[in-house]
C-alpha cells in the first residue's frame, strides 16, 4: 500500500459543464485550473496511491466535478462533500453522495457568530446521520470555535469528526500553547481525528517547517498516530513550495515518530476510514 493524501482540491475551467457558484468569481480561482493529471505529477513520485478529495468552495453545494473525478479514477479517490445542512431530505442526499464515493462532509462557520454556528437543526441532523452511517463531519476551523465542536461531540459521541489542518493553529497568528491545549483536549472524544496538513500555511510558513514540530508532537501525544492523518492540501502546497516539502516533514524530520507511526499517519489512518468501508 502506498501513502494516502487525505486532503486535496481539484477544479477545472470547463465552466459550461461545471459552473462555479454565483458567489464566486473566476478571478478567485488560483491557480486557474488544477486537474487530477496535474495532481498525479506530484503524488506518483511520492508513492501516494490514494487521495481524499475535498469539495472546492468555488462550486458551492454542487459536488458534480468531484464526483465525476472519483468515478473516472476508480479506486484512487474518496471524497468529502459540502451540502446545505438545512435542505429537505438531508439523509437521503447524504446517502446518495455516499453511494458515489463520499465518506464525509465539510463544515465551517460563515456569518453566524462563534458559539452559535452549530446550534441549528440541520447540523444536529448531520451529526446524527454521521453517527448512524459512520460518515465524518470535517470542520475547517480556528481554535476559537473548538468549544462549539466540543459540545457537538459530547452530544453525538459516535460521530466521526476529522479536524482539518491541525485546527489552523498558527495560520493567522503565532502558534500559542493555549490553542494547542484546546486541540489536544479534543482527544477525550474517541472518534475525533486530526489532519496533520497544510504546513505551507502554518507557523513560519516556510520549509522545512521544523517550527511545527512541537505542535505536531503535542497532538501526536494526545491523539496517538491512529487518529492522525497526513495531507498536503494541494494545490496550495505546491504553489510556492513542493509536495516533498510536505511529506518530508513526516518521513524525515519528526524524530519522535517510529517507522510504524509514519506508516500510520501517512497512510493507514486515512486508508482505514476512507477506503475500507
Amino acid at each position: 500500500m502506498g501513502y494516502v493524501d487525505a486532503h486535496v482540491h481539484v477544479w477545472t475551467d470547463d465552466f459550461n459543464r461545471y459552473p462555479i457558484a454565483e458567489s464566486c468569481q473566476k478571478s478567485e480561482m488560483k491557480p486557474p485550473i488544477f486537474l487530477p493529471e496535474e495532481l498525479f505529477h506530484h503524488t506518483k513520485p511520492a508513492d501516494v496511491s490514494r487521495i481524499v478529495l475535498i469539495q472546492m468552495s468555488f462550486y458551492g453545494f454542487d459536488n458534480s466535478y468531484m464526483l465525476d473525478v472519483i468515478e473516472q479514477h476508480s479506486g484512487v479517490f474518496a471524497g468529502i462533500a459540502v451540502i446545505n445542512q438545512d435542505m429537505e431530505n438531508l439523509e437521503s442526499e447524504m446517502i446518495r453522495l455516499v453511494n458515489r464515493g463520499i465518506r464525509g462532509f465539510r463544515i465551517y462557520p460563515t456569518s453566524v457568530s462563534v458559539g452559535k454556528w452549530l446550534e441549528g437543526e440541520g447540523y444536529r441532523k448531520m451529526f446524527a446521520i454521521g453517527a448512524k452511517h459512520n460518515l465524518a463531519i470535517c470542520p475547517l476551523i480556528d481554535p476559537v470555535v473548538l468549544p462549539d465542536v466540543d459540545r457537538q461531540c459530547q452530544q453525538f459521541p459516535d460521530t466521526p469528526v476529522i479536524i482539518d489542518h491541525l485546527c489552523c493553529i498558527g495560520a493567522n497568528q503565532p502558534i500559542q500553547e493555549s490553542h494547542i491545549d484546546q486541540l489536544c483536549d479534543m482527544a477525550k472524544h474517541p472518534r475525533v481525528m486530526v489532519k496533520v496538513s497544510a504546513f505551507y500555511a502554518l507557523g513560519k510558513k516556510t520549509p522545512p517547517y521544523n517550527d511545527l514540530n512541537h505542535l505536531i508532537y503535542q497532538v501526536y501525544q494526545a491523539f496517538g498516530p491512529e487518529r492522525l492523518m497526513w495531507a498536503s492540501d494541494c494545490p496550495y502546497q505546491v504553489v510556492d513550495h513542493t509536495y516533498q516539502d510536505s511529506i518530508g516533514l513526516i518521513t524525515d524530520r519528526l524524530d519522535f515518530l517510529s517507522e510504524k507511526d509514519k506508516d500510520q499517519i501517512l497512510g493507514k489512518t486515512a486508508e482505514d476510514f476512507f477506503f475500507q468501508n
Side-chain angles (χ1 to χ4, degrees), residues 40-102:
F40 295 150
H41 173 75
H42 301 283
T43 59
K44 289 183 177 179
D47 196 28
V48 171
S49 58
R50 283 181 161 171
I51 298 154
V52 181
L53 295 179
I54 315 301
Q55 166 73 346
M56 192 59 215
S57 59
F58 306 145
Y59 297 117
F61 297 135
D62 184 353
N63 296 275
S64 298
Y65 181 62
M66 179 178 63
L67 296 174
D68 286 350
V69 169
I70 292 171
E71 184 177 346
Q72 291 160 9
H73 300 273
S74 179
V76 175
F77 294 111
I80 293 174
V82 176
I83 60 173
N84 181 354
Q85 74 277 1
D86 296 318
M87 69 184 300
E88 294 185 11
N89 304 315
L90 178 64
E91 183 168 7
S92 62
E93 174 62 9
M94 290 172 72
I95 297 306
R96 182 188 74 84
L97 292 169
V98 168
N99 291 334
R100 295 199 62 186
I102 298 302

Side-chain angles (χ1 to χ4, degrees), residues 167-210:
C167 202
C168 296
I169 293 172
N172 300 314
Q173 56 185 304
I175 294 172
Q176 298 181 30
E177 286 296 326
S178 61
H179 291 164
I180 298 174
D181 291 343
Q182 279 184 279
L183 176 57
C184 290
D185 183 61
M186 293 295 291
K188 67 190 178 189
H189 303 293
R191 299 230 66 192
V192 172
M193 294 171 275
V194 177
K195 287 181 187 173
V196 183
S197 54
F199 304 143
Y200 70 92
L202 306 179
K204 295 180 179 178
K205 304 174 176 61
T206 303
Y209 315 122
N210 290 338

